[in-house]
Amino acid sequence: MKSFLITGLFTAVYALPAIADQSSELTVGKGWEICRNYYENRPLENAKDHSDLGFCLGITRGVYVVMRENCNTPGYAGPLAVGTGGTNKSIVHSFYKWADENPDQWSIPFTQGLIIALIQSFPCAPA
């Protein structure tokens, strides 16, 4: 099961963006905009705000959980691993802060930027 998660994350992060239409690729800059209302604790005013919130929390939490499981997998020594302690707020804050500090990276894929931010914020310390 855990090897399936590792393979799934690898595929999602590296293979799918390469296959996807480049004009519709979600970038760090777009991810920053999508997660902005949640990060800044703004009220949700319309259906787009609600949709953005669901997407932001879903993708950020999902990537974090897979990476956390990678860290807890005995024998896994790969780079796609993070430690425990991530809450929805701290995960989004990690990405938002990293993106804000790295505007030159806003054109890279959202998931790639998210992974970099999570690795920096939640270092993996396997048991």
Side-chain angles (χ1 to χ4, degrees):
M1 173 69 172
K2 289 183 182 179
S3 64
F4 176 75
L5 292 174
I6 294 167
T7 303
L9 178 62
F10 183 82
T11 301
V13 171
Y14 293 103
L16 293 181
I19 296 168
D21 175 14
Q22 294 300 316
S23 65
S24 64
E25 187 173 276
L26 184 62
T27 63
V28 165
K30 289 283 191 183
W32 186 89
E33 285 294 327
I34 288 170
C35 291
R36 187 175 189 173
N37 283 341
Y38 182 73
Y39 176 78
E40 295 180 356
N41 204 27
R42 294 179 178 181
L44 304 177
E45 299 177 356
N46 54 49
K48 182 184 179 314
D49 289 349
H50 286 273
S51 176
D52 285 354
L53 173 66
F55 181 83
C56 174
L57 293 179
I59 196 74
T60 57
R61 185 72 186 179
V63 169
Y64 169 81
V65 167
V66 171
M67 292 178 71
R68 185 191 65 211
E69 289 305 310
N70 287 348
C71 184
N72 294 329
T73 301
Y76 179 77
L80 299 177
V82 296
T84 60
T87 63
N88 286 342
K89 195 71 165 180
S90 66
I91 294 165
V92 172
H93 179 81
S94 168
F95 166 73
Y96 201 87
K97 183 175 183 270
W98 177 86
D100 209 33
E101 293 171 353
N102 294 281
D104 59 317
Q105 298 295 311
W106 279 31
S107 62
I108 68 172
F110 175 50
T111 51
Q112 186 177 348
L114 175 60
I115 287 169
I116 294 167
L118 292 176
I119 289 170
Q120 291 175 0
S121 296
F122 305 99
C124 176

